[in-house]
Amino acid sequence: MLNKKKTPIAVFNILKSVMDAKAKPLNEQLAAGRRATAELPIMKEHISALRQVILNCRTFDPSERREAEEDLEDKELQLVGIQNRIERGQRAEQELKLVQQFNTDYISICKMYLNAPRIHELNDLFYELCERQYRLDEKIIACEINMDAASRLPGFVEQARIDAAKYSEEYNDLEKRKSEIRKQIEELQR
């Protein structure tokens, strides 16, 4: 059987600070990617228009054509930059999902860490109640045996019925308490 080592909560606290530090630039990259996504169709439209200008100026005005070609080169470089920001934004979005999952897990781990002593205490109480129910069960069976009117005295049979009713009531009360403890444990484990 393997020995499971528990990771100290301090390690999770350090990881939390690392993830929080990582989240800020990722959010900035995501926002830049979204802005770039909005800019992309406009830039493509500008590039298409410049290409049309270059085609139209081929024979009429060489200086205007050169100016349009230079502007086209500049716009194409800007387009590459926009596409890169979109890609970084998409990667950032995926990494932010991992950060969010870690944050969800971190909250759960912290709750478990804080609630572990109480859960342990409630589990101990639950098993103690189970043991008491087991002993009551044995007493109830003994009472049922003693309720045989053919082989026992009437006073003895009546006392066995009274005791069985009392033990059954105690047993049911313990069952209710166990149910409440189960609910408390489930709440603490959420």
Side-chain angles (χ1 to χ4, degrees):
M1 181 180 259
L2 293 174
N3 243 352
K4 233 182 177 183
K5 292 184 178 182
K6 292 184 179 178
T7 306
I9 194 70
V11 171
F12 288 102
N13 290 334
I14 291 168
L15 287 173
K16 174 72 170 135
S17 64
V18 169
M19 292 303 231
D20 288 346
K22 188 177 182 177
K24 185 178 181 189
L26 288 174
N27 279 318
E28 290 170 359
Q29 288 176 2
L30 179 61
R34 288 182 176 156
R35 286 191 303 273
T37 300
E39 293 173 18
L40 184 65
I42 297 168
M43 186 57 67
K44 285 183 176 181
E45 192 176 304
H46 283 302
I47 289 172
S48 178
L50 283 170
R51 286 184 178 145
Q52 189 61 46
V53 167
I54 291 169
L55 284 174
N56 293 343
C57 293
R58 187 179 298 169
T59 54
F60 299 117
D61 191 353
S63 65
E64 193 174 321
R65 181 173 180 226
R66 263 192 313 276
E67 190 178 310
E69 287 173 344
E70 290 171 3
D71 199 19
L72 177 63
E73 283 180 37
D74 183 48
K75 297 291 185 205
E76 286 175 341
L77 284 174
Q78 288 179 23
L79 178 66
V80 170
I82 288 171
Q83 290 169 333
N84 288 339
R85 284 197 318 262
I86 290 171
E87 288 173 19
R88 281 193 303 271
Q90 290 169 341
R91 282 193 305 271
E93 185 173 23
Q94 294 305 313
E95 289 183 43
L96 278 170
K97 288 178 183 176
L98 296 174
V99 169
Q100 290 168 347
Q101 182 59 51
F102 173 82
N103 287 336
T104 301
D105 293 344
Y106 176 76
I107 290 168
S108 177
I109 289 166
C110 286
K111 271 180 90 172
M112 287 301 293
Y113 178 79
L114 294 173
N115 293 336
R118 179 69 179 142
I119 291 170
H120 184 69
E121 181 183 309
L122 288 171
N123 276 327
D124 288 347
L125 179 57
F126 182 85
Y127 292 116
E128 179 185 320
L129 295 177
C130 288
E131 183 62 33
R132 285 173 59 189
Q133 275 186 313
Y134 177 75
R135 288 192 304 268
L136 283 171
D137 212 18
E138 289 178 339
K139 289 179 181 181
I140 291 169
I141 291 169
C143 287
E144 289 171 352
I145 292 170
N146 290 331
M147 285 189 249
D148 182 12
S151 60
R152 305 279 186 233
L153 293 172
F156 197 68
V157 170
E158 186 56 33
Q159 186 61 47
R161 280 191 181 113
I162 292 169
D163 289 346
K166 181 179 79 172
Y167 295 145
S168 291
E169 189 177 320
E170 270 185 65
Y171 187 94
N172 291 335
D173 288 345
L174 290 175
E175 192 60 40
K176 287 177 188 172
R177 287 184 60 199
K178 281 175 46 183
S179 177
E180 291 169 3
I181 290 171
R182 268 191 225 108
K183 287 178 187 173
Q184 288 177 3
I185 291 171
E186 287 172 7
E187 280 295 317
L188 290 171
Q189 289 177 334
R190 285 188 189 160

